[in-house]
Amino acid sequence: MSSVLASLVPVFLVIAAGWSARVTGFVEEAHWPGLEKVTYVVFFPAIIIATLAQAELATVPVGGVGAALVAAILVNAGGLLAARRTLQRRAGISGPSFTSVFQGSTRWNTFVALAVAGSLYGERGLALMAVAIAVMIPLLNLMAIGVLVRFAGGPPQSARQILLAIVTNPFIWSSAIGIAINASGLVLPAPALDFVEILGAAALAAGLLVVGAGLDMRRLARPGRAHWLAIATKMLVLPVVAVTLARHLGVFGDDLVVVAIASSVPTASGGYILAKQMGGDAPLMAEIITLQTLAAMLTMPVMITVLAL
């Protein structure tokens, strides 16, 4: 419990700082789009490249952990896509809102996951979480971008335009670069690695600040069906499915706990940046991120204890 709280409280406080900076006018409205853009194009790609390039995958059960997490994500994603028309008709969840529910139900906050796993299991916890990062980040970004292109409400696009939007997206090309460096065995020169890590270090703070700036506290105080759906599918359904699959794949002990951690953390702040840049429901995405961060203080310890310990 203490490790979870120690990781989540600072996240929530940075979100609150972003909200305060906007509503008080300390940071003017005209300045936020610039911060969003540099976070989207520079900071998040840098942390993705640095993390994937340095992931130590040789000493951990890549197959079992990775397969369980990927399969659980695909179950969540498939269920949401199958229910999309029903959600629109019965719950009033529009296309742009659906993209935020989809991101909120599938993406995960790697920073919180790394902090909790490292606190509990040290270097092995970080290595296991690197497996989760290596298999989940490319898949999640690919799915999120595809859903945004299809349902965010923009003009219909051809297969070529959709493919181009995916390939040129910063979240995708940075994942490809990081995986290529890792697979090649290339050791980055120290100055180059330091350069990427310095840029990447800004990703969490900048991402959470713009999430806070996008909050509407009046809507946050009255969560609707879209909010509850994203909370339930991400914080409850995904961990249960992931841990159940991991057990069937022979993952036990500390490795199983890491699966529980990776699948039960709140959704990623990068989802807000993606929604803002690609026409999704960014305010709803900001609210989902904040509500899940608060809910995780209760649900994460419960999920980890009940499912994996």
Side-chain angles (χ1 to χ4, degrees):
M1 173 68 85
S2 59
S3 296
V4 173
L5 290 176
S7 301
L8 290 171
V9 169
V11 171
F12 178 74
L13 291 176
V14 178
I15 292 174
W19 176 80
S20 299
R22 181 184 62 82
V23 298
T24 60
F26 182 74
V27 177
E28 297 178 5
E29 293 285 348
H31 294 160
W32 288 108
L35 181 58
E36 291 165 3
K37 187 72 172 180
V38 74
T39 302
Y40 178 67
V41 177
V42 179
F43 296 155
F44 270 108
I47 193 63
I48 290 172
I49 291 171
T51 302
L52 292 179
Q54 299 178 86
E56 295 288 344
L57 307 180
T59 61
V60 292
V62 176
V65 172
L69 291 170
V70 167
I73 289 168
L74 292 176
V75 168
N76 253 19
L80 285 168
L81 289 169
R84 188 192 66 81
R85 292 186 183 277
T86 301
L87 293 172
Q88 184 175 19
R89 186 173 61 252
R90 297 188 178 180
I93 297 177
S94 66
S97 296
F98 175 78
T99 66
S100 291
V101 171
F102 185 90
Q103 287 204 82
S105 300
T106 55
R107 295 176 69 99
W108 65 304
N109 192 314
T110 57
F111 304 100
V112 173
L114 284 167
V116 175
S119 175
L120 290 176
Y121 300 115
E123 289 299 320
R124 179 166 178 80
L126 295 176
L128 283 163
M129 202 54 67
V131 173
I133 290 169
V135 300
M136 290 169 73
I137 284 181
L139 172 66
L140 289 171
N141 286 322
L142 184 64
M143 291 196 307
I145 293 164
V147 167
L148 278 158
V149 170
R150 176 65 180 84
F151 299 114
Q157 298 190 345
S158 66
R160 181 180 179 278
Q161 289 173 313
I162 293 173
L163 180 61
L164 186 63
I166 291 172
V167 171
T168 59
N169 186 275
F171 284 54
I172 295 299
W173 56 252
S174 59
S175 295
I177 290 172
I179 291 172
I181 293 172
N182 192 304
S184 69
L186 177 67
V187 178
L188 293 176
L193 187 59
D194 290 344
F195 167 71
V196 175
E197 289 184 337
I198 289 170
L199 289 176
L204 178 58
L208 293 174
L209 285 171
V210 297
V211 166
L215 284 176
D216 182 342
M217 286 298 182
R218 292 169 297 182
R219 285 182 51 175
L220 190 63
R222 298 188 301 276
R225 293 176 179 176
H227 301 86
W228 291 118
L229 177 61
I231 291 172
T233 52
K234 175 64 186 73
M235 313 302 291
L236 302 176
V237 175
L238 186 63
V240 170
V241 174
V243 171
T244 301
L245 290 172
R247 288 184 186 276
H248 281 88
L249 291 170
V251 179
F252 298 101
D254 297 349
D255 300 345
L256 189 65
V257 178
V258 170
V259 172
I261 293 169
S263 56
S264 64
V265 293
T267 194
S269 58
Y272 174 82
I273 303 295
L274 205 57
K276 194 71 181 289
Q277 296 294 319
M278 297 191 66
D281 189 338
L284 175 60
M285 193 70 241
E287 292 151 15
I288 289 172
I289 292 168
T290 306
L291 289 171
Q292 284 192 3
T293 301
L294 290 170
M297 296 181 190
L298 173 63
T299 60
M300 275 190 71
V302 171
M303 289 291 103
I304 293 168
T305 301
V306 171
L307 295 176
L309 295 182

